[in-house]
Amino acid sequence: MVNDFARFNGLLTTLDELYESLYSAMRLAPTAYFANIDDVTKEDFKAFSAGELMLGHRDMFNVQAQMRCLNALKCFHRPSHDISGRVAGKYPGILLLENHDDIIDTIIAINSTKTAIKHCVQDRKPDGSHGRNHLQKHEFLHQHRGVEIISYQLYRHIDVINCRPDTDTALKSVNFYWAYKNADQRLTPERAVLYLYNSKSGLNDTQLNEIKARIMGTQHTHRFYIRKTRNASVNLSLYYGASDGKPVVNTINAAQPVILCNYEDVPTIRPLSAHVPQKRKANRQGHAWKCLNEAINLYTRPITEADKKREAHLAKI
């Protein structure tokens, strides 16, 4: 453990030195953008996760945005203990780099050091397994450096986007938007029954047996899920124009500032759209979901033709 702490300290020192080298060598264009998202307290985080809390944000441009982006690239601490780290770690922004070749090796070194820090905290073994479980990783990180560290922000790599890839299509615009993705957990009929009986649903034996009968009676025609949702995140859509009549678009997670390089004309930057929690509920209307038990979020839906084709394809593989 002592050796791990010493290595962890050494890696953080190396990371700080690399950032100093990067910032002294970077030559940035005047154009920049940053979305200053409202902080969410730990008390409000549950409402945010449930899609009941609307987050505000303030758009920043040019010099002001540059300063916020540069700070955000190496920021992995919450502003206070009362702020949720899962939301405080969102720093969507854009920097335009004019000397990519001069500093790309430094960025690669920063990303490699961040990976090494992650592996150190995990106590990663040669076979890829972790020597520490989730709680032990949390204790290692926070006992050593304080409880305000946002671990995923410490590990996150710096994204550099080439505005002129190997094709003839140049990056035309970037568009920030809120992403609302579901994370439903699919259960086999047997696991759905087990989950039903092990949950504290408040149902009596007769009600439990009725739901079990519905599950087993429709197991060949329906899927069973625990309804879950991911926290709303900020994504970046990269539009490169059209090829063969189809738009060439790439999407990346934009939880920290993205660097654009190798451009002739500055791409159009469209600021972050408003956070609309109701969109998350609208995402739930894609299938004919039926609730088996609302208390434990157990749902069912018919097997679709797309499901059958997907499973047939997987069976061939």
Side-chain angles (χ1 to χ4, degrees), residues 11-281:
L11 288 169
L12 285 179
T13 300
T14 299
L15 186 62
D16 288 337
E17 292 171 349
L18 286 170
Y19 270 117
E20 289 181 11
S21 175
L22 174 66
Y23 287 2
S24 64
M26 288 178 83
R27 188 170 72 248
L28 297 174
T31 302
Y33 170 75
F34 186 81
N36 199 38
I37 299 174
D38 289 349
D39 289 328
V40 173
T41 65
K42 291 180 179 179
E43 292 182 355
D44 288 337
F45 182 72
K46 185 175 181 180
F48 170 74
S49 299
E52 299 168 353
L53 177 66
M54 180 177 292
L55 291 187
H57 76 275
R58 184 160 60 95
D59 296 321
M60 298 181 178
F61 300 93
N62 303 333
V63 175
Q64 188 182 29
Q66 276 188 6
M67 297 305 296
R68 289 292 283 116
C69 285
L70 291 173
N71 288 336
L73 279 176
K74 60 178 181 179
C75 180
F76 50 87
H77 286 83
R78 277 184 280 176
S80 80
H81 181 70
D82 294 329
I83 301 302
S84 167
R86 301 183 195 181
V87 180
K90 296 181 185 296
Y91 303 114
I94 288 287
L95 289 169
L96 276 76
L97 180 67
E98 295 187 338
N99 61 334
H100 171 266
D101 292 339
D102 297 335
I103 54 87
I104 186 58
D105 289 340
T106 304
I107 291 178
I108 291 173
I110 287 175
N111 290 342
S112 297
T113 303
K114 282 173 164 281
T115 298
I117 290 172
K118 181 179 182 178
H119 291 174
C120 179
V121 174
Q122 293 172 337
D123 189 19
R124 192 178 179 91
K125 305 301 181 184
D127 63 358
S129 62
H130 298 177
R132 297 187 180 94
N133 60 32
H134 180 74
L135 179 60
Q136 290 168 334
K137 286 183 285 188
H138 185 275
E139 289 177 346
F140 175 90
L141 189 63
H142 296 289
Q143 284 180 0
H144 189 52
R145 283 281 172 166
V147 297
E148 307 308 330
I149 283 183
I150 306 170
S151 57
Y152 65 81
Q153 200 66 11
L154 175 61
Y155 308 150
R156 192 185 300 279
H157 286 190
I158 296 175
D159 286 320
V160 180
I161 304 298
N162 182 1
C163 294
R164 292 193 64 82
D166 295 334
T167 66
D168 295 330
T169 306
L171 181 64
K172 299 183 182 302
S173 65
V174 293
N175 178 37
F176 288 94
Y177 64 96
W178 285 94
Y180 304 88
K181 296 182 179 180
N182 299 329
D184 302 315
Q185 180 183 352
R186 181 181 165 186
L187 302 175
T188 63
E190 293 76 16
R191 289 186 62 85
V193 171
L194 183 64
Y195 173 72
L196 175 68
Y197 277 92
N198 287 339
S199 63
K200 298 179 181 179
S201 60
L203 301 178
N204 57 41
D205 289 344
T206 300
Q207 293 170 318
L208 290 172
N209 289 333
E210 287 177 354
I211 296 176
K212 176 185 176 180
R214 288 183 61 187
I215 292 173
M216 301 311 295
T218 59
Q219 61 179 312
H220 300 298
T221 59
H222 285 67
R223 295 284 186 261
F224 307 97
Y225 296 85
I226 302 173
R227 301 299 300 270
K228 295 183 177 181
T229 186
R230 295 186 181 127
N231 298 325
S233 60
V234 179
N235 279 5
L236 184 63
S237 178
L238 306 166
Y239 174 64
Y240 289 90
S243 176
D244 297 328
K246 296 181 179 180
V248 181
V249 180
N250 187 27
T251 299
I252 63 172
N253 182 277
Q256 108 171 0
V258 175
I259 298 175
L260 304 182
C261 69
N262 193 22
Y263 53 88
E264 292 182 357
D265 299 319
V266 175
T268 300
I269 301 174
R270 295 188 174 89
L272 178 63
S273 58
H275 175 234
V276 183
Q278 289 75 17
K279 282 189 177 181
R280 178 175 298 170
K281 296 179 180 178

